[in-house]
Amino acid sequence: MTDHPKINKRDFLKKAGVAAVGAGALATPNIVRAQAPIKWRLQTYAGASLAEHVIKPSIDEFNKAANGEMVIELYTADQLVPQGELFRAVQNGTIDAAQSDDDSMAAPVDVSVFGAYFPFASRYSLDVPVLWEWYGLREIWEEAYAEVEGVTWLSTGSWDPCNFVTTKPIRSVADLKGLRVFTFPTGGKFLERFGVVPVTLPWEDIEVAIQTNEIDGVAWCGATETYTVGWADITKYYLTNNISGAWAGSYIANTEKWEALPEHLKTLFKLCMDSSHYYRQHWYWWGEAHYRTTGGKLELTTIPEAEWAQIENEALKFWDEVAQKSPRNAKVVEILKKYADTMKKAGAPYRYG
């Protein structure tokens, strides 16, 4: 009979502990290190003070909600690339996404002419989302951008109206002649018909250009932006007539970077774009009335309605000329005409008079 070795309590516990550790090591799966967050660089058309409203809140929300999976670094106007090179920068991957109008970022699509301030295409800010979501412009933009390699169009929303804010008073159409203003490409081409001299400058140079009399003002925004960015401090007059009721601006992304995102991050970004669109709807609608009535820095001037009608009538001629550029442009113009007619027939509050 073989004698079994005696084992005391201390030896038993030590051996049992080693065995338990060994078994645990075999049973526990390898710990996977956290993957580095996806990083995007997004540049907006807006300068720093304006970006605080038109995009930064939504990007901050995105970065918080992404919970470490993705981080978007926000850059303001011309910070990484000049505004006119913004589209190409997204296309070649220099930056991952952009917020801008199609017009001033030189998007090589025929519908880019309708970005920013296409003259008299809208009367109010709500017109823009209605046109894109309910009158077919979303599908047209998707079709147009699908023909351009490397860039995916994501969304369009509305901003403020386009009013003249100047150092010289405008009380008649004749006062527009010779006026040097910073404005958008298509809006500038239209305004040239009335003697306006469009000027293109980096956004951050506009203030100095006004102060040194290089330009007489801007046809770039409404009252909200004029006061927010400080232009109301260096100009004197605000023309209440506007050439468009709302700026139409888009979000675009590098196609490869967009398609690489998991679906839940795509959805999150779409929700944050909608959040940005919503913020601007109430911010601008509040600001336009608030600053006109309580701003106190600008004298309001108005061109009589009967005289202003000649500019509105000239816009319709401009529409027809743009419609000749491509079948797709003709389709957009047809939609704009149908929409304007519907709003007029609907009457107040859609259209007055």
Side-chain angles (χ1 to χ4, degrees):
M1 183 175 180
T2 305
D3 292 333
H4 293 286
K6 292 183 179 181
I7 185 168
N8 60 40
K9 185 176 180 182
R10 179 176 293 176
D11 289 338
F12 174 80
L13 290 174
K14 284 171 68 178
K15 290 179 180 179
V18 171
V21 170
L26 290 172
T28 303
N30 291 329
I31 297 173
V32 180
R33 290 174 178 249
Q35 191 175 22
I38 299 167
K39 287 192 176 181
W40 269 20
R41 299 198 303 174
L42 187 158
Q43 182 172 307
T44 176
Y45 75 97
S49 57
L50 183 57
E52 286 289 330
H53 289 279
V54 301
I55 189 170
K56 189 176 183 297
S58 64
I59 297 301
D60 289 344
E61 290 167 1
F62 178 91
N63 288 337
K64 185 184 295 183
N67 199 29
E69 291 186 59
M70 183 171 173
V71 175
I72 297 177
E73 297 173 351
L74 178 63
Y75 296 87
T76 55
D78 305 303
Q79 198 170 359
L80 295 180
V81 298
Q83 174 65 18
E85 299 174 17
L86 196 52
F87 182 93
R88 296 298 184 190
V90 174
Q91 189 176 45
N92 63 32
T94 302
I95 57 178
D96 305 299
Q99 178 204 48
S100 175
D101 66 284
D102 317 76
D103 195 24
S104 67
M105 70 174 170
V109 290
D110 49 4
V111 295
S112 65
V113 69
F114 300 103
Y117 292 121
F118 191 65
F120 298 98
S122 62
R123 184 69 63 89
Y124 307 116
S125 59
L126 272 176
D127 292 337
V128 171
V130 171
L131 282 163
W132 258 263
E133 303 301 332
W134 297 97
Y135 275 74
L137 294 196
R138 166 175 284 277
E139 291 74 18
I140 291 174
W141 257 245
E142 289 173 341
E143 175 189 270
Y145 275 85
E147 297 172 1
V148 181
E149 187 176 352
V151 173
T152 298
W153 172 86
L154 299 174
S155 181
T156 291
S158 64
W159 272 250
D160 53 340
C162 182
N163 295 76
F164 282 87
V165 187
T166 57
T167 56
K168 301 176 180 179
I170 304 171
R171 295 188 173 92
S172 69
V173 172
D175 291 333
L176 297 176
K177 190 172 182 179
L179 207 64
R180 299 160 299 165
V181 297
F182 172 76
T183 189
F184 292 89
T186 297
K189 289 176 184 176
F190 173 68
L191 291 171
E192 283 179 330
R193 299 178 178 219
F194 307 97
V196 172
V197 180
V199 178
T200 301
L201 290 168
W203 195 89
E204 295 292 346
D205 292 347
I206 298 167
E207 184 172 347
V208 173
I210 294 173
Q211 291 174 314
T212 58
N213 296 317
E214 182 181 348
I215 60 175
D216 301 307
V218 299
W220 199 81
C221 59
T224 310
E225 288 188 13
T226 300
Y227 277 84
T228 299
V229 305
W231 295 340
D233 298 323
I234 54 174
T235 53
K236 295 180 180 180
Y237 303 96
Y238 181 94
L239 181 65
T240 60
N241 313 79
N242 59 58
I243 67 164
S244 184
W247 188 80
S250 292
Y251 285 81
I252 61 171
N254 176 275
T255 299
E256 184 178 346
K257 293 296 184 67
W258 176 252
E259 292 179 350
L261 289 184
E263 287 302 316
H264 70 286
L265 289 179
K266 287 182 181 178
T267 299
L268 180 59
F269 190 70
K270 290 175 182 177
L271 290 170
C272 284
M273 287 189 293
D274 286 344
S275 171
S276 177
H277 294 331
Y278 173 66
Y279 180 98
R280 292 191 312 273
Q281 283 281 350
H282 60 74
W283 182 60
Y284 280 120
W285 191 253
W286 160 79
E288 295 309 301
H290 172 76
Y291 288 114
R292 282 194 192 192
T293 57
T294 65
K297 296 179 180 179
L298 299 171
E299 179 183 337
L300 304 183
T301 64
T302 301
I303 296 176
E305 187 175 338
E307 188 178 353
W308 185 250
Q310 66 181 280
I311 295 183
E312 294 184 349
N313 293 334
E314 189 65 29
L316 295 177
K317 297 178 185 177
F318 185 75
W319 287 16
D320 290 336
E321 291 170 14
V322 170
Q324 300 300 314
K325 302 292 184 181
S326 75
R328 189 156 48 215
N329 281 5
K331 188 175 181 180
V332 174
V333 169
E334 181 183 352
I335 288 172
L336 293 178
K337 288 182 176 181
K338 178 183 178 182
Y339 181 75
D341 183 60
T342 300
M343 295 297 104
K344 185 177 180 180
K345 287 178 179 177
Y350 297 94
R351 296 292 185 268
Y352 291 88

